[in-house]
Amino acid sequence: MQNKPRDNIFMIKIEQLHKSYPIGKESLHVLKGINLEVKEGEFVSIMGSSGSGKSTMLNIIGLLDDHDKGKYTLDGELIQSMDEVKGAKLRNKFLGFVFQSFNLIAYKNAWENVALPLYYKGVGRKERKIKAMEYLDKVGLKPWANHLPNELSGGQKQRVAIARALVTEPKVILADEPTGALDSETSDSVMKLLRGINDEGMTIVVITHEHDIAELTDRIVLLKDGQILSDEHTSTYNNKIKK
């Protein structure tokens, strides 16, 4: 899946990042000078309540939105002046996405959903199916390859979504509230799956508002009102919470 991480390589580097949105004649300053570094192979959660700026941060890291000021470097490539075509190209090259709502296509079965990113990369149907089946096997769902989404449980749908995120062999997985629609037991199994993927060398960033989910990652970045309140190893963060 991934080679062993290269020591001290920053997969994500954000410096003095600002983002505002116009609201009528005013503007809402959402991100206020964010600094963040994520090394290759790290498993990091960005945690914050609604309105903290974490969704905006995800959109910028995920090349779905541009920043106003500051610098964003992804695997050594400076991200700037990005139009839709360039954004799509870089997303295909670097990123895999996992969403709370799964975002599976209802009329396509599991392997067809997993294979969809390969279709957009121009990969032939036979090769798409071979690779999709390989990644369904990695997430333990090969026997369900021909099942439609409505024939799968919530946890199975999320596993299909994770396989889809992995199939293009991206540099980073961005998981946006990946357990938000799941019960606690299923959430735990999904996070264990992500942990296993991380153990193979994949850089993973999880966006969440749930402390129970954040503490299953190695590092917790806490956002509030568009600023980073803390950025600590999970054990350090938990010790502070307990005091």
Side-chain angles (χ1 to χ4, degrees):
M1 194 179 300
Q2 286 274 105
N3 294 323
K4 186 178 178 182
R6 298 161 291 172
D7 291 339
N8 298 318
I9 297 295
F10 288 114
M11 187 58 67
I12 293 168
K13 189 169 185 178
I14 287 171
E15 303 168 80
Q16 285 298 308
L17 201 80
H18 289 262
K19 180 66 180 180
S20 297
Y21 293 103
I23 299 182
K25 294 181 180 179
E26 306 295 322
S27 68
L28 179 64
H29 197 180
V30 181
L31 298 181
K32 306 166 184 175
I34 296 287
N35 291 294
L36 177 69
E37 294 176 336
V38 178
K39 290 182 181 178
E40 183 177 21
E42 279 198 283
F43 193 6
V44 178
S45 55
I46 298 175
M47 190 170 72
S49 58
S50 179
S52 63
K54 65 184 188 298
S55 294
T56 299
M57 199 159 166
L58 171 79
N59 287 341
I60 291 172
I61 293 173
L63 307 176
L64 299 167
D65 201 354
D66 212 349
H67 53 283
D68 299 329
K69 291 193 296 183
K71 288 174 66 179
Y72 171 29
T73 307
L74 180 58
D75 195 29
E77 184 161 341
L78 184 64
I79 305 299
Q80 58 184 353
S81 304
M82 187 180 61
D83 59 23
E84 284 189 24
V85 174
K86 183 180 179 184
K89 185 178 179 181
L90 290 175
R91 280 193 298 276
N92 286 338
K93 179 180 178 184
F94 288 117
L95 302 168
F97 292 88
V98 179
F99 300 98
Q100 175 179 342
S101 56
F102 318 128
N103 288 11
L104 301 180
I105 295 176
Y107 58 85
K108 290 187 178 292
N109 64 29
W111 82 256
E112 288 170 332
N113 267 284
V114 172
L116 199 59
L118 299 174
Y119 170 80
Y120 291 117
K121 289 188 116 180
V123 178
R125 181 178 172 84
K126 185 177 179 180
E127 188 180 342
R128 289 201 307 270
K129 184 169 185 179
I130 290 170
K131 201 155 189 181
M133 294 298 287
E134 175 190 341
Y135 279 90
L136 278 174
D137 195 28
K138 284 182 185 293
V139 301
L141 280 185
K142 192 173 181 180
W144 284 267
N146 292 310
H147 287 241
L148 294 170
N150 66 6
E151 299 171 320
L152 303 174
S153 69
Q156 289 173 325
K157 289 176 188 176
Q158 196 58 292
R159 285 173 177 266
V160 171
I162 291 169
R164 181 185 58 193
L166 292 169
V167 76
T168 58
E169 299 178 355
K171 301 276 189 177
V172 181
I173 294 292
L174 294 177
D176 184 13
E177 302 280 4
T179 62
L182 306 174
D183 61 44
S184 57
E185 185 178 346
T186 310
S187 296
D188 189 51
S189 71
V190 166
M191 290 304 291
K192 282 180 180 175
L193 175 58
L194 290 175
R195 166 60 68 192
I197 293 163
N198 172 253
D199 286 344
E200 294 185 23
M202 178 69 72
T203 308
I204 301 179
V205 177
V206 174
I207 308 294
T208 185
H209 67 278
E210 299 177 86
H211 179 260
D212 288 352
I213 296 303
E215 69 180 6
L216 296 174
T217 67
D218 294 329
R219 184 173 142 213
I220 298 175
V221 178
L222 183 61
L223 272 184
K224 186 177 181 181
D225 297 329
Q227 295 180 307
I228 292 178
L229 280 189
S230 63
D231 180 353
E232 297 172 314
H233 192 277
T234 303
S235 59
T236 305
Y237 180 89
N238 286 338
N239 287 337
K240 285 186 177 180
I241 293 293
K242 289 173 184 175
K243 288 181 180 179

